[in-house]
Amino acid sequence: MNRKQSDDKTRVTVLIALAANLVIAAAKAAGGLLTGSPALLSEAAHSVADSMNEVFLLASLRRSRRPADERHPFGYGKERYFWALLAAVGIFVMGGCFSFFQGVEALNSTEREAPGGYAIGLAVLGVALIAEGSSLGRALIQVRGTQGKTKDPALRTVIAEDATAVLGVLFAMAGMVLHLITGNIVWEACASFAIGLLLVYIAYRLGAEARGQLVGEAIDPELRRGIRSMLDSQPEIDNVDTLLTMKLGLDSTLVAARIDLVPGLDSESVELVSVRIKESVSRTWPEADHVFLDITEAPPG
């Protein structure tokens, strides 16, 4: 599957998640305002944050595919990680912080919900659980098509959001049921705090991954060892002094190597060797689309 086809599938997955979250957010907010449930309001904030983040992810899919130009000679692949970082910030601020606020508000509240309020709230959460689970299932099916692994930050973010949404709904339902049974709102406060902690953790993990890519993370060690092994095996190379790599996007990698050639090669041979090695690296690892060699010809022996 090429990158365009993969992006098209990811776009559909994100759009499904966005549609589900918009409907769920409206239902949760209406239910929360009607019932006064802090756990339900926390979940509404969670869904609003997810909806905004999916808009960011759609922007990342479009902007990251722009071709390289004079200002960005290595392309726009890192746009995905920038928008994924914004999504992580959105989860932290809009979801996590608001959930903590609702927990504190609940602890200071002395009101008790009417039985009808619990029924409305639990019904809304039940529908949300089905919708969030369906969206998560769609994302997991797409990941299964990539042998169970994905480097796409947009798809990884959708999976993280949907998985935490399912857990968040379960926390909210547990808090409401325990509040109904015991008459103690502290259970809903605990549910809000649990949702907030979950969102802060997910935001941290997603943000850390995006940060690593934005500051210039190297390629996987196994891939780096493979490239170095290929360079070492070339008969014209006497020594690989330095090998530097950096991910430029999902399917784009920069490889820069400082190599010493064996003695006795003339300038024409050096040029031919350089072209052949670059082509060999790019042919073996198509994602290594920017290969640079700093060649030092060894002095005659």
Side-chain angles (χ1 to χ4, degrees):
M1 182 187 300
N2 60 36
R3 174 50 49 192
K4 184 179 184 303
Q5 291 173 324
S6 179
D7 281 356
D8 288 342
K9 286 193 172 184
T10 299
R11 185 176 291 106
V12 171
T13 298
V14 175
L15 285 170
I16 290 172
L18 175 59
N21 276 313
L22 286 173
V23 173
I24 293 167
K28 288 177 180 176
L33 293 172
L34 286 172
T35 65
S37 167
L40 195 50
L41 287 172
S42 295
E43 271 300 293
H46 183 177
S47 295
V48 170
D50 286 351
S51 299
M52 290 195 64
N53 293 338
E54 273 132 22
V55 173
F56 291 157
L57 298 180
L58 288 172
S60 79
L61 291 173
R62 179 177 60 84
R63 296 178 65 86
S64 66
R65 300 307 300 170
R66 289 181 295 171
D69 54 34
E70 185 176 348
R71 293 189 62 190
H72 298 86
F74 294 108
Y76 290 82
K78 289 195 175 186
E79 284 267 11
R80 295 205 183 209
Y81 307 114
F82 169 74
W83 291 98
L85 181 61
L86 288 186
V89 173
I91 291 173
F92 176 82
V93 175
M94 296 190 61
C97 293
F98 187 79
S99 294
F100 286 129
F101 171 77
Q102 283 299 314
V104 173
E105 286 286 296
L107 291 177
N108 294 328
S109 175
T110 58
E111 297 181 4
R112 177 181 172 86
E113 297 173 41
Y118 293 100
I120 293 172
L122 291 172
V124 169
L125 289 174
V127 173
L129 185 61
I130 294 172
E132 300 284 14
S134 299
S135 178
L136 176 60
R138 157 78 195 195
L140 291 176
I141 288 172
Q142 184 176 342
V143 171
R144 188 179 302 169
T146 60
Q147 289 76 49
K149 296 181 180 179
T150 179
K151 300 180 292 182
D152 191 340
L155 185 55
R156 290 169 67 91
T157 300
V158 170
I159 292 172
E161 287 180 349
D162 287 344
T164 54
V166 169
L167 286 175
V169 168
L170 293 175
F171 287 156
M173 293 177 79
M176 292 187 72
V177 169
L178 290 171
H179 183 189
L180 175 62
I181 293 172
T182 65
N184 192 343
I185 200 172
V186 71
W187 291 108
E188 287 206 58
C190 289
S192 293
F193 288 135
I195 293 168
L197 287 172
L198 180 64
L199 292 174
V200 167
Y201 172 73
I202 292 299
Y204 168 76
R205 290 294 303 270
L206 292 174
E209 290 179 6
R211 173 185 173 276
Q213 300 295 344
L214 287 172
V215 299
E217 189 172 73
I219 61 176
D220 297 333
E222 183 178 353
L223 178 56
R224 185 180 185 280
R225 285 193 295 269
I227 294 175
R228 187 175 187 100
S229 178
M230 170 179 275
L231 295 176
D232 286 332
S233 68
Q234 303 302 309
E236 299 87 355
I237 295 180
D238 185 56
N239 176 58
V240 179
D241 182 57
T242 304
L243 177 61
L244 304 175
T245 64
M246 184 171 65
K247 296 178 183 177
L248 300 175
L250 294 184
D251 297 313
S252 181
T253 298
L254 182 148
V255 177
R258 181 175 294 112
I259 59 177
D260 299 325
L261 297 182
V262 297
L265 296 176
D266 57 31
S267 58
E268 183 177 353
S269 297
V270 169
E271 182 177 353
L272 291 174
V273 166
S274 174
V275 171
R276 180 177 58 77
I277 292 174
K278 289 179 181 179
E279 290 179 347
S280 295
V281 172
S282 295
R283 185 169 55 251
T284 307
W285 296 280
E287 63 269 36
D289 52 348
H290 297 283
V291 181
F292 300 93
L293 299 178
D294 180 12
I295 295 177
T296 303
E297 185 179 4

